[in-house]
Amino acid sequence: MRAAPSPEEIRRHNLGTLLRHVHLSGPASRAALAERMGLNRSTIMALTSDLTAAGLVTEELPKTTRKAGRPSLVVRPESDRVYVLALDVGADRLVVARVGLGGTVLDRADVVVARDSHDVDDVVSALAAAGRRLVRNAASDALCVGVGVAFSGIVRQEDGVVRHGPNIGWVDVPLGAELTRRMALGLRVSVGNDANLAALAERARGAGAGLDDIIYLHGDVGIGGGVIVGGRLLGGEGGYGGEIGHMVVNPGGRPCGCGSRGCLESEAGELALIALSGRSTEGTSGRRAVELIVDAADRGDAKARDALHQVGDWLGYGVANLINIFNPSMVIFGGVMREIYMGSAAQVRSRLAIDGLTAARESVRLRTSTLGEQATLMGAAELAFTDVLTDPLETLTKARSL
């Protein structure tokens, strides 16, 4: 039998739970926190006192109150003093941001990377330099407690090795270790698949908030996906689960960067839509090219409309398969897939009506990301906040010792 948790383990758990509440849901009164956590007010007072002394939260009187008696203090996350670095590494962009406790983006650096220039050393150097610069720009009393990376490809979770980045040509790149070494912040850099992290962010802060069964589809040249079942991310044996973009929907179809043919991303992704519409990405980003195609279709361009119809049909096949298998309560379209879905929603829904099991599709909701372009970045930030939300005081002590 597993031994009962010690008082210290219970205290550590409660500190992390309370901090997570104000981190994800924003400022809350002691009374509200006591109700959410099922604890008495004296225990909540002791926990908030510890977190306040550590500099993780602050307490203040509410601006207004309608109840008689002494008002309950409001607990706020110390966004300016405690932060993480969040890195978003896509096929055509590098983004580094300083994100404060509570999910506030405090500072951001965008580095443009040409699609045909993805030298590992150049990319890692650019990311590390931007990260160090943001840390230098922070206030002297601010503390970095983690670094997280959302990468557009297959990532081994245990050590942050990029097993395959199909759209940038990376194979077995030790991204986590290299960034840890070059940033030289004394913090281990955690790396995750961008779509998986975005799915978790959408569940924590976005369209899927409060839902336990969601599927998130993300477009960034290719198509990635995050599957959350019963409130938990479906990771798989090595953490490679959720590679929805490489589900074959059209055997013998268009060649895919993974080496197969007819994958969802090769039939319904950004590059397929651009090719079918007779356009190119020259002089513009892929996202902008997609936006122009959708706009052209809205204005009556037959070729753009036909391209969206065809891509929407393949996307509908994929969505129907996913709904039949996982029975989610919501499917969320993010990244470039947001624009593609918005331009082909009728076709996707038509295909779903034909190929989706009635019992599974009758209650599912199809939605676009509410976090928008920041979904993957917020996912990277949440990955970086993992330690401080698990063991707040110990994590802060270690960060201050660096």
Side-chain angles (χ1 to χ4, degrees):
M1 293 180 62
R2 187 175 182 274
S6 67
E8 179 56 31
E9 288 173 327
I10 293 173
R11 173 175 171 272
R12 184 166 56 244
H13 169 77
N14 287 338
L15 285 168
T17 301
L18 192 154
L19 187 61
R20 183 177 294 276
H21 275 298
V22 296
H23 170 65
L24 293 177
S25 302
S29 68
R30 284 182 181 176
L33 290 168
E35 184 176 351
R36 291 179 198 173
M37 295 176 63
L39 300 174
N40 60 50
R41 293 197 180 192
S42 61
T43 300
I44 291 294
M45 182 176 68
L47 294 173
T48 57
S49 295
D50 286 345
L51 293 174
T52 299
L56 287 160
V57 303
T58 185
E59 294 185 282
E60 58 187 39
L61 288 170
K63 290 183 172 62
T64 59
T65 180
R66 297 180 180 178
K67 295 183 179 180
R70 185 178 180 181
S72 179
L73 291 176
V74 173
V75 183
R76 297 178 180 276
E78 282 278 26
S79 299
D80 292 330
R81 294 181 59 189
V82 181
Y83 69 91
V84 298
L85 289 180
L87 288 68
D88 186 7
V89 183
D92 58 359
R93 73 186 183 283
L94 297 178
V95 179
V96 183
R98 190 161 58 87
V99 182
L101 195 64
T104 303
V105 177
L106 304 171
D107 201 358
R108 172 175 169 145
D110 293 80
V111 181
V112 178
V113 176
R115 286 177 180 242
D116 58 352
S117 177
H118 294 288
D119 178 79
V120 173
D121 188 67
D122 290 345
V123 170
V124 172
S125 294
L127 290 170
R132 291 194 302 269
R133 184 167 64 254
L134 292 188
V135 170
R136 288 195 301 270
N137 290 345
S140 59
D141 63 344
L143 195 62
C144 183
V145 296
V147 184
V149 183
F151 181 81
S152 180
I154 300 174
V155 178
R156 189 165 63 204
Q157 290 183 328
E158 64 188 45
D159 56 7
V161 169
V162 172
R163 296 302 310 278
H164 189 201
N167 295 304
I168 63 174
W170 286 11
V171 176
D172 291 332
V173 173
L175 182 58
E178 281 299 300
L179 282 171
T180 297
R181 180 176 67 83
R182 297 201 201 187
M183 281 191 172
L185 300 175
L187 297 167
R188 182 178 67 87
V189 176
S190 300
V191 186
N193 171 265
D194 60 348
N196 282 342
L197 295 179
L200 292 172
E202 286 289 345
R203 181 174 184 261
R205 300 179 179 278
L211 300 179
D212 286 338
D213 297 278
I214 66 173
I215 293 174
Y216 173 84
L217 288 172
H218 183 78
D220 175 24
V221 180
I223 296 178
V227 181
I228 294 178
V229 178
R232 299 176 66 87
L233 182 69
L234 187 66
E237 173 65 21
Y240 310 138
E243 285 298 324
I244 290 169
H246 300 291
M247 169 177 55
V248 176
V249 293
N250 181 23
R254 293 171 176 270
C256 181
C258 72
S260 185
R261 301 183 73 91
C263 292
L264 182 64
E265 78 169 44
S266 63
E267 300 292 341
E270 168 190 317
L271 296 181
L273 177 63
I274 292 169
L276 287 168
S277 68
R279 289 164 168 78
S280 74
T281 59
E282 187 175 348
T284 184
S285 69
R287 178 184 295 275
R288 182 55 182 157
V290 169
E291 291 172 347
L292 291 172
I293 293 167
V294 174
D295 181 62
D298 287 341
R299 289 185 287 104
D301 185 311
K303 195 164 188 178
R305 190 170 56 242
D306 289 345
L308 278 167
H309 186 280
Q310 185 170 334
V311 163
D313 204 39
W314 292 122
L315 181 58
Y317 275 117
V319 170
N321 285 334
L322 293 169
I323 290 173
N324 290 346
I325 295 169
F326 294 107
N327 184 210
S329 53
M330 183 177 289
V331 177
I332 304 169
F333 301 88
V336 178
M337 293 311 298
R338 179 179 184 275
E339 281 71 33
I340 291 177
Y341 170 70
M342 290 175 68
S344 62
Q347 190 59 31
V348 172
R349 291 179 178 277
S350 175
R351 178 53 59 189
L352 179 59
I354 296 170
D355 295 318
L357 294 172
T358 302
R361 65 174 164 77
E362 60 187 0
S363 61
V364 70
R365 288 167 283 171
L366 306 184
R367 297 288 187 270
T368 56
S369 166
T370 56
L371 296 178
E373 293 184 20
Q374 288 196 333
T376 49
L377 193 67
M378 288 296 99
E382 292 306 318
L383 178 63
F385 276 121
T386 298
D387 287 346
V388 77
L389 295 177
T390 301
D391 191 348
L393 303 187
E394 178 65 19
T395 300
L396 215 61
T397 298
K398 288 180 179 178
R400 285 184 171 134
S401 69
L402 297 176

